[in-house]
Amino acid sequence: MKQVATIKEVRAEIAELKAQGKRIAFVPTMGALHEGHLSLIRLAKQKADEVVVSIYVNPEQFGPNEDFEDYPRQMEDDLKACKAEGVSLVFTPNDEIMYGSGTKYFSIDIEHMNEHMDGGSRPGFFEGIALVVNKFFNIIKPDVAIFGQKDIQQFQILKQMVHEFNHDIEMTAAPIARANDGLALSSRNAYLSDQEREIAPGLYRALKYVERQIRDGVMEPKLLLGHQQDELEAKGFKNDYLNVFSMKTMKPVKKLEAGSTYILAGAVYLGKTRLIDNIILDL
Amino acid sequence: MKQVATIKEVRAEIAELKAQGKRIAFVPTMGALHEGHLSLIRLAKQKADEVVVSIYVNPEQFGPNEDFEDYPRQMEDDLKACKAEGVSLVFTPNDEIMYGSGTKYFSIDIEHMNEHMDGGSRPGFFEGIALVVNKFFNIIKPDVAIFGQKDIQQFQILKQMVHEFNHDIEMTAAPIARANDGLALSSRNAYLSDQEREIAPGLYRALKYVERQIRDGVMEPKLLLGHQQDELEAKGFKNDYLNVFSMKTMKPVKKLEAGSTYILAGAVYLGKTRLIDNIILDL
């Protein structure tokens, strides 16, 4: 496994792999790799000959009051994990390499798809992600890119960017990896106290409960969702959102229809830690 | 020479050329090719093994009261001209292929560099150009792209986009091709009446006059520029702008300094026809 930090080096490595006719899968990460990331890497290996992982905590996707400074960084462990999974190339740029020091004149604007869910709660979040992923796509030029379903709005927005910007990249979402008690794996779970960690799976249980009710025929889940939010608050969560969204537009949907695809998604706080989770509903 | 209209076809052709190790130069055009375009193609041939030309009148870069409908279209002549110049591949997509029919969620936003010059006069113009050129770059993935110095603000903005978006493309500007009387060649010159065509070179003469004065030491050219604008109006032009701009920021500059690079640029109307021209000043 090779590790490179500069764009010139990563391009040279990619060019060599492409000259050998290798199909390349790309897994962008912010490091602090857990079993969820490793499942993305394993899926990447099924999809291509060589796996390229980026490890970069992108400042552009953090708001001024968010956890950019505290975000867990553990490069040595991450590199070991990548090596153990058979990753070919790890790209570990710094801010200077990704953004340079000159004036920025360009930004990527997103409409509608980022109005609700995490986009609604985190202004500029998805523009920051689109900016860095568009850069990574142009630097690495992968054949396929793997993202986690846990960040479903990110995946749908980036898939739309690939479509509108004509990136020649197959976009693949990997299923959510969970702890035994159902908690969706996340680098931010490291922030949780023992007590918070015990409460945390309650979000997924609430989603599963609502899912069952919808599958049993509740097509206007507003009251149901409101009740689950109350239950979550009673358990010690602070609610951000818990709702059903259109898979296509990322907008909340009041009345569900058979034959459509929805995302049942929630975001909560436990102390200062923000947790998200979702279930895709193919009705 | 091959002509293809779909993204799938153009990608297949490009992949074949790249598999042969060919270096590819790309010349994006809106058709109505004249000697200026041909000079871009000739420069492209010097820079690479194979030249790819796109012919597409991009609706996104025309304002609601601009000449999208009237813009000259002469596909057959253009294809003949490309063939005669040894172009390998011409990409002639339609609007459905470039933009599809679905909702658009993404746009490219530009700050500062598009506030003055043509960006000031034509709101959304450079965002529309950036959008389509970013698409072309991802579709064609050229090694080098050739643009005309006549559209100097376009060139500087797209060069900045290549830098900020990490496109792996060498950006080259070709000198302005001129008629014998000095008029910068433009597809829009076709709109000019005989009488307007006779007056038209006055813009370049005004620029040359100001250039000489600056090179003779006039470092605050405000009065000079104002006088030339009056002269142009007297000759039958309607002024849009005539000014000196920073090459880096595209902002007007009042006091010039030795060791810096400026653009002396003008835009005028003759009847409904908008003409632009410029001179680069390396002081």
Side-chain angles (χ1 to χ4, degrees), chain B residues 147-180:
Chain B
F147 295 84
Q149 183 206 311
K150 182 166 152 285
D151 301 301
I152 185 70
Q153 192 177 16
Q154 166 180 279
F155 179 73
Q156 290 294 97
I157 285 176
L158 292 177
K159 207 167 113 178
Q160 185 66 22
M161 180 178 81
V162 163
H163 174 68
E164 291 189 35
F165 283 6
N166 296 101
H167 285 292
D168 192 11
I169 298 171
E170 180 191 329
M171 292 287 284
T172 300
I176 299 176
R178 300 184 179 282
N180 288 335

PDB file of all heavy atoms in Angstrom, chain B residues 147-180:
ATOM      1  N   PHE B 147      -8.547  28.453 -25.660  1.00  0.00           N
ATOM      2  CA  PHE B 147      -9.561  29.505 -25.720  1.00  0.00           C
ATOM      3  C   PHE B 147      -8.939  30.729 -26.371  1.00  0.00           C
ATOM      4  O   PHE B 147      -7.709  30.843 -26.452  1.00  0.00           O
ATOM      5  CB  PHE B 147     -10.044  29.858 -24.307  1.00  0.00           C
ATOM      6  CG  PHE B 147     -10.765  28.733 -23.631  1.00  0.00           C
ATOM      7  CD1 PHE B 147     -10.055  27.741 -22.965  1.00  0.00           C
ATOM      8  CD2 PHE B 147     -12.149  28.649 -23.670  1.00  0.00           C
ATOM      9  CE1 PHE B 147     -10.722  26.684 -22.344  1.00  0.00           C
ATOM     10  CE2 PHE B 147     -12.816  27.605 -23.053  1.00  0.00           C
ATOM     11  CZ  PHE B 147     -12.095  26.624 -22.392  1.00  0.00           C
ATOM     12  N   GLY B 148      -9.771  31.654 -26.828  1.00  0.00           N
ATOM     13  CA  GLY B 148      -9.267  32.851 -27.478  1.00  0.00           C
ATOM     14  C   GLY B 148      -9.001  33.971 -26.476  1.00  0.00           C
ATOM     15  O   GLY B 148      -9.763  34.167 -25.535  1.00  0.00           O
ATOM     16  N   GLN B 149      -7.926  34.697 -26.720  1.00  0.00           N
ATOM     17  CA  GLN B 149      -7.640  35.871 -25.870  1.00  0.00           C
ATOM     18  C   GLN B 149      -8.722  36.934 -26.032  1.00  0.00           C
ATOM     19  O   GLN B 149      -8.903  37.779 -25.155  1.00  0.00           O
ATOM     20  CB  GLN B 149      -6.281  36.461 -26.230  1.00  0.00           C
ATOM     21  CG  GLN B 149      -5.876  37.635 -25.333  1.00  0.00           C
ATOM     22  CD  GLN B 149      -4.921  38.591 -26.008  1.00  0.00           C
ATOM     23  OE1 GLN B 149      -3.922  38.169 -26.582  1.00  0.00           O
ATOM     24  NE2 GLN B 149      -5.225  39.889 -25.952  1.00  0.00           N
ATOM     25  N   LYS B 150      -9.451  36.896 -27.141  1.00  0.00           N
ATOM     26  CA  LYS B 150     -10.509  37.887 -27.321  1.00  0.00           C
ATOM     27  C   LYS B 150     -11.475  37.856 -26.134  1.00  0.00           C
ATOM     28  O   LYS B 150     -11.905  38.899 -25.648  1.00  0.00           O
ATOM     29  CB  LYS B 150     -11.255  37.653 -28.628  1.00  0.00           C
ATOM     30  CG  LYS B 150     -12.321  38.698 -28.878  1.00  0.00           C
ATOM     31  CD  LYS B 150     -12.806  38.643 -30.302  1.00  0.00           C
ATOM     32  CE  LYS B 150     -14.221  39.123 -30.385  1.00  0.00           C
ATOM     33  NZ  LYS B 150     -15.177  38.113 -29.876  1.00  0.00           N
ATOM     34  N   ASP B 151     -11.810  36.667 -25.669  1.00  0.00           N
ATOM     35  CA  ASP B 151     -12.660  36.531 -24.483  1.00  0.00           C
ATOM     36  C   ASP B 151     -11.755  36.370 -23.268  1.00  0.00           C
ATOM     37  O   ASP B 151     -11.752  35.327 -22.605  1.00  0.00           O
ATOM     38  CB  ASP B 151     -13.589  35.329 -24.651  1.00  0.00           C
ATOM     39  CG  ASP B 151     -14.476  35.471 -25.880  1.00  0.00           C
ATOM     40  OD1 ASP B 151     -15.218  36.456 -25.944  1.00  0.00           O
ATOM     41  OD2 ASP B 151     -14.410  34.613 -26.771  1.00  0.00           O
ATOM     42  N   ILE B 152     -10.989  37.424 -22.974  1.00  0.00           N
ATOM     43  CA  ILE B 152      -9.938  37.303 -21.958  1.00  0.00           C
ATOM     44  C   ILE B 152     -10.503  37.037 -20.565  1.00  0.00           C
ATOM     45  O   ILE B 152      -9.932  36.268 -19.787  1.00  0.00           O
ATOM     46  CB  ILE B 152      -9.026  38.568 -21.963  1.00  0.00           C
ATOM     47  CG1 ILE B 152      -7.858  38.409 -20.991  1.00  0.00           C
ATOM     48  CG2 ILE B 152      -9.818  39.821 -21.635  1.00  0.00           C
ATOM     49  CD1 ILE B 152      -6.824  37.404 -21.423  1.00  0.00           C
ATOM     50  N   GLN B 153     -11.657  37.645 -20.258  1.00  0.00           N
ATOM     51  CA  GLN B 153     -12.244  37.417 -18.933  1.00  0.00           C
ATOM     52  C   GLN B 153     -12.710  35.960 -18.814  1.00  0.00           C
ATOM     53  O   GLN B 153     -12.533  35.330 -17.770  1.00  0.00           O
ATOM     54  CB  GLN B 153     -13.412  38.378 -18.696  1.00  0.00           C
ATOM     55  CG  GLN B 153     -13.895  38.410 -17.255  1.00  0.00           C
ATOM     56  CD  GLN B 153     -15.000  39.431 -17.034  1.00  0.00           C
ATOM     57  OE1 GLN B 153     -15.624  39.912 -17.989  1.00  0.00           O
ATOM     58  NE2 GLN B 153     -15.268  39.765 -15.781  1.00  0.00           N
ATOM     59  N   GLN B 154     -13.286  35.446 -19.885  1.00  0.00           N
ATOM     60  CA  GLN B 154     -13.666  34.032 -19.919  1.00  0.00           C
ATOM     61  C   GLN B 154     -12.450  33.158 -19.650  1.00  0.00           C
ATOM     62  O   GLN B 154     -12.497  32.223 -18.840  1.00  0.00           O
ATOM     63  CB  GLN B 154     -14.260  33.685 -21.289  1.00  0.00           C
ATOM     64  CG  GLN B 154     -14.370  32.190 -21.568  1.00  0.00           C
ATOM     65  CD  GLN B 154     -14.958  31.903 -22.938  1.00  0.00           C
ATOM     66  OE1 GLN B 154     -16.179  31.935 -23.104  1.00  0.00           O
ATOM     67  NE2 GLN B 154     -14.118  31.642 -23.926  1.00  0.00           N
ATOM     68  N   PHE B 155     -11.351  33.455 -20.337  1.00  0.00           N
ATOM     69  CA  PHE B 155     -10.150  32.637 -20.184  1.00  0.00           C
ATOM     70  C   PHE B 155      -9.628  32.675 -18.747  1.00  0.00           C
ATOM     71  O   PHE B 155      -9.328  31.632 -18.153  1.00  0.00           O
ATOM     72  CB  PHE B 155      -9.055  33.091 -21.151  1.00  0.00           C
ATOM     73  CG  PHE B 155      -7.793  32.286 -21.013  1.00  0.00           C
ATOM     74  CD1 PHE B 155      -7.743  30.981 -21.476  1.00  0.00           C
ATOM     75  CD2 PHE B 155      -6.672  32.811 -20.391  1.00  0.00           C
ATOM     76  CE1 PHE B 155      -6.590  30.213 -21.332  1.00  0.00           C
ATOM     77  CE2 PHE B 155      -5.521  32.051 -20.238  1.00  0.00           C
ATOM     78  CZ  PHE B 155      -5.481  30.756 -20.713  1.00  0.00           C
ATOM     79  N   GLN B 156      -9.553  33.863 -18.180  1.00  0.00           N
ATOM     80  CA  GLN B 156      -9.026  33.994 -16.819  1.00  0.00           C
ATOM     81  C   GLN B 156      -9.934  33.306 -15.796  1.00  0.00           C
ATOM     82  O   GLN B 156      -9.462  32.671 -14.854  1.00  0.00           O
ATOM     83  CB  GLN B 156      -8.858  35.478 -16.449  1.00  0.00           C
ATOM     84  CG  GLN B 156      -7.743  36.187 -17.192  1.00  0.00           C
ATOM     85  CD  GLN B 156      -6.368  35.651 -16.839  1.00  0.00           C
ATOM     86  OE1 GLN B 156      -5.814  34.808 -17.540  1.00  0.00           O
ATOM     87  NE2 GLN B 156      -5.815  36.119 -15.732  1.00  0.00           N
ATOM     88  N   ILE B 157     -11.235  33.434 -15.997  1.00  0.00           N
ATOM     89  CA  ILE B 157     -12.195  32.800 -15.081  1.00  0.00           C
ATOM     90  C   ILE B 157     -12.114  31.275 -15.202  1.00  0.00           C
ATOM     91  O   ILE B 157     -12.087  30.556 -14.193  1.00  0.00           O
ATOM     92  CB  ILE B 157     -13.621  33.331 -15.341  1.00  0.00           C
ATOM     93  CG1 ILE B 157     -13.749  34.750 -14.775  1.00  0.00           C
ATOM     94  CG2 ILE B 157     -14.680  32.408 -14.751  1.00  0.00           C
ATOM     95  CD1 ILE B 157     -15.081  35.439 -15.057  1.00  0.00           C
ATOM     96  N   LEU B 158     -12.059  30.771 -16.422  1.00  0.00           N
ATOM     97  CA  LEU B 158     -12.001  29.310 -16.597  1.00  0.00           C
ATOM     98  C   LEU B 158     -10.670  28.745 -16.095  1.00  0.00           C
ATOM     99  O   LEU B 158     -10.618  27.641 -15.562  1.00  0.00           O
ATOM    100  CB  LEU B 158     -12.238  28.938 -18.062  1.00  0.00           C
ATOM    101  CG  LEU B 158     -13.659  29.213 -18.563  1.00  0.00           C
ATOM    102  CD1 LEU B 158     -13.769  28.875 -20.047  1.00  0.00           C
ATOM    103  CD2 LEU B 158     -14.705  28.424 -17.767  1.00  0.00           C
ATOM    104  N   LYS B 159      -9.595  29.527 -16.254  1.00  0.00           N
ATOM    105  CA  LYS B 159      -8.299  29.088 -15.731  1.00  0.00           C
ATOM    106  C   LYS B 159      -8.376  28.965 -14.198  1.00  0.00           C
ATOM    107  O   LYS B 159      -7.841  28.035 -13.611  1.00  0.00           O
ATOM    108  CB  LYS B 159      -7.224  30.114 -16.134  1.00  0.00           C
ATOM    109  CG  LYS B 159      -5.840  29.540 -16.253  1.00  0.00           C
ATOM    110  CD  LYS B 159      -4.915  30.521 -16.965  1.00  0.00           C
ATOM    111  CE  LYS B 159      -3.871  31.039 -16.026  1.00  0.00           C
ATOM    112  NZ  LYS B 159      -2.918  31.955 -16.670  1.00  0.00           N
ATOM    113  N   GLN B 160      -9.070  29.928 -13.599  1.00  0.00           N
ATOM    114  CA  GLN B 160      -9.254  29.876 -12.145  1.00  0.00           C
ATOM    115  C   GLN B 160     -10.123  28.671 -11.760  1.00  0.00           C
ATOM    116  O   GLN B 160      -9.863  28.003 -10.754  1.00  0.00           O
ATOM    117  CB  GLN B 160      -9.892  31.186 -11.660  1.00  0.00           C
ATOM    118  CG  GLN B 160     -10.039  31.310 -10.155  1.00  0.00           C
ATOM    119  CD  GLN B 160      -8.707  31.373  -9.412  1.00  0.00           C
ATOM    120  OE1 GLN B 160      -7.676  31.718  -9.990  1.00  0.00           O
ATOM    121  NE2 GLN B 160      -8.731  31.001  -8.143  1.00  0.00           N
ATOM    122  N   MET B 161     -11.142  28.381 -12.557  1.00  0.00           N
ATOM    123  CA  MET B 161     -11.991  27.208 -12.286  1.00  0.00           C
ATOM    124  C   MET B 161     -11.167  25.922 -12.357  1.00  0.00           C
ATOM    125  O   MET B 161     -11.289  25.043 -11.487  1.00  0.00           O
ATOM    126  CB  MET B 161     -13.162  27.128 -13.261  1.00  0.00           C
ATOM    127  CG  MET B 161     -14.061  25.915 -12.995  1.00  0.00           C
ATOM    128  SD  MET B 161     -15.496  25.813 -14.108  1.00  0.00           S
ATOM    129  CE  MET B 161     -14.727  25.076 -15.565  1.00  0.00           C
ATOM    130  N   VAL B 162     -10.333  25.820 -13.382  1.00  0.00           N
ATOM    131  CA  VAL B 162      -9.464  24.644 -13.516  1.00  0.00           C
ATOM    132  C   VAL B 162      -8.608  24.492 -12.270  1.00  0.00           C
ATOM    133  O   VAL B 162      -8.452  23.393 -11.729  1.00  0.00           O
ATOM    134  CB  VAL B 162      -8.604  24.764 -14.795  1.00  0.00           C
ATOM    135  CG1 VAL B 162      -7.417  23.815 -14.760  1.00  0.00           C
ATOM    136  CG2 VAL B 162      -9.472  24.500 -16.022  1.00  0.00           C
ATOM    137  N   HIS B 163      -8.084  25.610 -11.783  1.00  0.00           N
ATOM    138  CA  HIS B 163      -7.256  25.598 -10.580  1.00  0.00           C
ATOM    139  C   HIS B 163      -8.064  25.173  -9.350  1.00  0.00           C
ATOM    140  O   HIS B 163      -7.671  24.264  -8.614  1.00  0.00           O
ATOM    141  CB  HIS B 163      -6.646  26.997 -10.387  1.00  0.00           C
ATOM    142  CG  HIS B 163      -5.897  27.149  -9.101  1.00  0.00           C
ATOM    143  ND1 HIS B 163      -4.723  26.492  -8.848  1.00  0.00           N
ATOM    144  CD2 HIS B 163      -6.162  27.869  -7.991  1.00  0.00           C
ATOM    145  CE1 HIS B 163      -4.302  26.799  -7.635  1.00  0.00           C
ATOM    146  NE2 HIS B 163      -5.151  27.633  -7.095  1.00  0.00           N
ATOM    147  N   GLU B 164      -9.201  25.816  -9.135  1.00  0.00           N
ATOM    148  CA  GLU B 164      -9.971  25.549  -7.905  1.00  0.00           C
ATOM    149  C   GLU B 164     -10.682  24.191  -7.931  1.00  0.00           C
ATOM    150  O   GLU B 164     -10.903  23.600  -6.878  1.00  0.00           O
ATOM    151  CB  GLU B 164     -10.979  26.674  -7.646  1.00  0.00           C
ATOM    152  CG  GLU B 164     -10.307  27.979  -7.252  1.00  0.00           C
ATOM    153  CD  GLU B 164     -11.299  29.035  -6.776  1.00  0.00           C
ATOM    154  OE1 GLU B 164     -12.304  28.696  -6.133  1.00  0.00           O
ATOM    155  OE2 GLU B 164     -11.064  30.224  -7.071  1.00  0.00           O
ATOM    156  N   PHE B 165     -11.068  23.744  -9.109  1.00  0.00           N
ATOM    157  CA  PHE B 165     -11.766  22.449  -9.214  1.00  0.00           C
ATOM    158  C   PHE B 165     -10.791  21.290  -9.474  1.00  0.00           C
ATOM    159  O   PHE B 165     -11.221  20.150  -9.595  1.00  0.00           O
ATOM    160  CB  PHE B 165     -12.814  22.488 -10.338  1.00  0.00           C
ATOM    161  CG  PHE B 165     -14.082  23.223  -9.989  1.00  0.00           C
ATOM    162  CD1 PHE B 165     -14.222  23.921  -8.793  1.00  0.00           C
ATOM    163  CD2 PHE B 165     -15.170  23.204 -10.855  1.00  0.00           C
ATOM    164  CE1 PHE B 165     -15.406  24.588  -8.480  1.00  0.00           C
ATOM    165  CE2 PHE B 165     -16.352  23.861 -10.548  1.00  0.00           C
ATOM    166  CZ  PHE B 165     -16.468  24.555  -9.366  1.00  0.00           C
ATOM    167  N   ASN B 166      -9.498  21.606  -9.606  1.00  0.00           N
ATOM    168  CA  ASN B 166      -8.487  20.563  -9.849  1.00  0.00           C
ATOM    169  C   ASN B 166      -8.696  19.782 -11.144  1.00  0.00           C
ATOM    170  O   ASN B 166      -8.469  18.570 -11.190  1.00  0.00           O
ATOM    171  CB  ASN B 166      -8.408  19.579  -8.665  1.00  0.00           C
ATOM    172  CG  ASN B 166      -7.944  20.241  -7.391  1.00  0.00           C
ATOM    173  OD1 ASN B 166      -8.745  20.561  -6.525  1.00  0.00           O
ATOM    174  ND2 ASN B 166      -6.653  20.475  -7.288  1.00  0.00           N
ATOM    175  N   HIS B 167      -9.160  20.468 -12.179  1.00  0.00           N
ATOM    176  CA  HIS B 167      -9.123  19.808 -13.486  1.00  0.00           C
ATOM    177  C   HIS B 167      -7.667  19.664 -13.905  1.00  0.00           C
ATOM    178  O   HIS B 167      -6.881  20.608 -13.769  1.00  0.00           O
ATOM    179  CB  HIS B 167      -9.863  20.652 -14.539  1.00  0.00           C
ATOM    180  CG  HIS B 167     -11.351  20.587 -14.419  1.00  0.00           C
ATOM    181  ND1 HIS B 167     -12.068  19.440 -14.695  1.00  0.00           N
ATOM    182  CD2 HIS B 167     -12.272  21.518 -14.076  1.00  0.00           C
ATOM    183  CE1 HIS B 167     -13.356  19.678 -14.511  1.00  0.00           C
ATOM    184  NE2 HIS B 167     -13.511  20.936 -14.131  1.00  0.00           N
ATOM    185  N   ASP B 168      -7.318  18.513 -14.448  1.00  0.00           N
ATOM    186  CA  ASP B 168      -5.931  18.258 -14.853  1.00  0.00           C
ATOM    187  C   ASP B 168      -5.774  18.654 -16.330  1.00  0.00           C
ATOM    188  O   ASP B 168      -5.576  17.810 -17.195  1.00  0.00           O
ATOM    189  CB  ASP B 168      -5.623  16.767 -14.646  1.00  0.00           C
ATOM    190  CG  ASP B 168      -4.133  16.483 -14.767  1.00  0.00           C
ATOM    191  OD1 ASP B 168      -3.340  17.438 -14.790  1.00  0.00           O
ATOM    192  OD2 ASP B 168      -3.777  15.294 -14.850  1.00  0.00           O
ATOM    193  N   ILE B 169      -5.911  19.935 -16.578  1.00  0.00           N
ATOM    194  CA  ILE B 169      -5.966  20.446 -17.952  1.00  0.00           C
ATOM    195  C   ILE B 169      -5.078  21.683 -18.070  1.00  0.00           C
ATOM    196  O   ILE B 169      -5.163  22.588 -17.247  1.00  0.00           O
ATOM    197  CB  ILE B 169      -7.429  20.813 -18.328  1.00  0.00           C
ATOM    198  CG1 ILE B 169      -8.315  19.562 -18.283  1.00  0.00           C
ATOM    199  CG2 ILE B 169      -7.493  21.478 -19.710  1.00  0.00           C
ATOM    200  CD1 ILE B 169      -9.796  19.842 -18.430  1.00  0.00           C
ATOM    201  N   GLU B 170      -4.245  21.685 -19.109  1.00  0.00           N
ATOM    202  CA  GLU B 170      -3.411  22.860 -19.393  1.00  0.00           C
ATOM    203  C   GLU B 170      -4.253  23.875 -20.169  1.00  0.00           C
ATOM    204  O   GLU B 170      -4.799  23.557 -21.215  1.00  0.00           O
ATOM    205  CB  GLU B 170      -2.202  22.402 -20.234  1.00  0.00           C
ATOM    206  CG  GLU B 170      -1.249  23.497 -20.617  1.00  0.00           C
ATOM    207  CD  GLU B 170      -0.242  23.016 -21.670  1.00  0.00           C
ATOM    208  OE1 GLU B 170       0.119  21.819 -21.678  1.00  0.00           O
ATOM    209  OE2 GLU B 170       0.138  23.855 -22.515  1.00  0.00           O
ATOM    210  N   MET B 171      -4.349  25.087 -19.630  1.00  0.00           N
ATOM    211  CA  MET B 171      -5.183  26.114 -20.261  1.00  0.00           C
ATOM    212  C   MET B 171      -4.311  27.029 -21.107  1.00  0.00           C
ATOM    213  O   MET B 171      -3.346  27.613 -20.609  1.00  0.00           O
ATOM    214  CB  MET B 171      -5.883  26.939 -19.187  1.00  0.00           C
ATOM    215  CG  MET B 171      -6.926  26.163 -18.398  1.00  0.00           C
ATOM    216  SD  MET B 171      -8.433  25.828 -19.348  1.00  0.00           S
ATOM    217  CE  MET B 171      -9.213  27.453 -19.307  1.00  0.00           C
ATOM    218  N   THR B 172      -4.682  27.186 -22.383  1.00  0.00           N
ATOM    219  CA  THR B 172      -3.893  27.999 -23.301  1.00  0.00           C
ATOM    220  C   THR B 172      -4.779  29.033 -23.985  1.00  0.00           C
ATOM    221  O   THR B 172      -5.873  28.700 -24.443  1.00  0.00           O
ATOM    222  CB  THR B 172      -3.240  27.091 -24.360  1.00  0.00           C
ATOM    223  OG1 THR B 172      -2.393  26.140 -23.705  1.00  0.00           O
ATOM    224  CG2 THR B 172      -2.418  27.901 -25.355  1.00  0.00           C
ATOM    225  N   ALA B 173      -4.301  30.265 -24.029  1.00  0.00           N
ATOM    226  CA  ALA B 173      -5.031  31.319 -24.747  1.00  0.00           C
ATOM    227  C   ALA B 173      -4.329  31.593 -26.086  1.00  0.00           C
ATOM    228  O   ALA B 173      -3.106  31.704 -26.131  1.00  0.00           O
ATOM    229  CB  ALA B 173      -5.076  32.590 -23.917  1.00  0.00           C
ATOM    230  N   ALA B 174      -5.116  31.694 -27.139  1.00  0.00           N
ATOM    231  CA  ALA B 174      -4.575  31.999 -28.468  1.00  0.00           C
ATOM    232  C   ALA B 174      -4.767  33.484 -28.751  1.00  0.00           C
ATOM    233  O   ALA B 174      -5.775  34.076 -28.365  1.00  0.00           O
ATOM    234  CB  ALA B 174      -5.287  31.160 -29.518  1.00  0.00           C
ATOM    235  N   PRO B 175      -3.781  34.094 -29.445  1.00  0.00           N
ATOM    236  CA  PRO B 175      -3.866  35.534 -29.749  1.00  0.00           C
ATOM    237  C   PRO B 175      -5.133  35.882 -30.540  1.00  0.00           C
ATOM    238  O   PRO B 175      -5.727  35.015 -31.183  1.00  0.00           O
ATOM    239  CB  PRO B 175      -2.627  35.780 -30.623  1.00  0.00           C
ATOM    240  CG  PRO B 175      -1.722  34.613 -30.414  1.00  0.00           C
ATOM    241  CD  PRO B 175      -2.581  33.457 -29.996  1.00  0.00           C
ATOM    242  N   ILE B 176      -5.527  37.139 -30.485  1.00  0.00           N
ATOM    243  CA  ILE B 176      -6.730  37.591 -31.185  1.00  0.00           C
ATOM    244  C   ILE B 176      -6.468  37.640 -32.697  1.00  0.00           C
ATOM    245  O   ILE B 176      -5.490  38.248 -33.137  1.00  0.00           O
ATOM    246  CB  ILE B 176      -7.157  38.986 -30.675  1.00  0.00           C
ATOM    247  CG1 ILE B 176      -7.469  38.919 -29.174  1.00  0.00           C
ATOM    248  CG2 ILE B 176      -8.361  39.514 -31.472  1.00  0.00           C
ATOM    249  CD1 ILE B 176      -7.816  40.265 -28.540  1.00  0.00           C
ATOM    250  N   ALA B 177      -7.329  36.968 -33.445  1.00  0.00           N
ATOM    251  CA  ALA B 177      -7.242  37.044 -34.916  1.00  0.00           C
ATOM    252  C   ALA B 177      -8.013  38.275 -35.375  1.00  0.00           C
ATOM    253  O   ALA B 177      -9.107  38.561 -34.873  1.00  0.00           O
ATOM    254  CB  ALA B 177      -7.823  35.777 -35.532  1.00  0.00           C
ATOM    255  N   ARG B 178      -7.414  39.032 -36.309  1.00  0.00           N
ATOM    256  CA  ARG B 178      -8.019  40.293 -36.732  1.00  0.00           C
ATOM    257  C   ARG B 178      -8.167  40.368 -38.251  1.00  0.00           C
ATOM    258  O   ARG B 178      -7.378  39.765 -38.987  1.00  0.00           O
ATOM    259  CB  ARG B 178      -7.133  41.475 -36.276  1.00  0.00           C
ATOM    260  CG  ARG B 178      -6.960  41.546 -34.779  1.00  0.00           C
ATOM    261  CD  ARG B 178      -6.168  42.768 -34.327  1.00  0.00           C
ATOM    262  NE  ARG B 178      -6.075  42.748 -32.862  1.00  0.00           N
ATOM    263  CZ  ARG B 178      -7.052  43.117 -32.036  1.00  0.00           C
ATOM    264  NH1 ARG B 178      -8.199  43.574 -32.522  1.00  0.00           N
ATOM    265  NH2 ARG B 178      -6.905  43.040 -30.741  1.00  0.00           N
ATOM    266  N   ALA B 179      -9.162  41.099 -38.693  1.00  0.00           N
ATOM    267  CA  ALA B 179      -9.275  41.427 -40.119  1.00  0.00           C
ATOM    268  C   ALA B 179      -8.138  42.398 -40.467  1.00  0.00           C
ATOM    269  O   ALA B 179      -7.467  42.939 -39.586  1.00  0.00           O
ATOM    270  CB  ALA B 179     -10.635  42.062 -40.387  1.00  0.00           C
ATOM    271  N   ASN B 180      -7.916  42.622 -41.776  1.00  0.00           N
ATOM    272  CA  ASN B 180      -6.828  43.511 -42.198  1.00  0.00           C
ATOM    273  C   ASN B 180      -6.934  44.910 -41.598  1.00  0.00           C
ATOM    274  O   ASN B 180      -5.923  45.550 -41.335  1.00  0.00           O
ATOM    275  CB  ASN B 180      -6.817  43.638 -43.728  1.00  0.00           C
ATOM    276  CG  ASN B 180      -6.322  42.355 -44.366  1.00  0.00           C
ATOM    277  OD1 ASN B 180      -5.586  41.585 -43.724  1.00  0.00           O
ATOM    278  ND2 ASN B 180      -6.740  42.102 -45.601  1.00  0.00           N
TER     279      ASN B 180
END
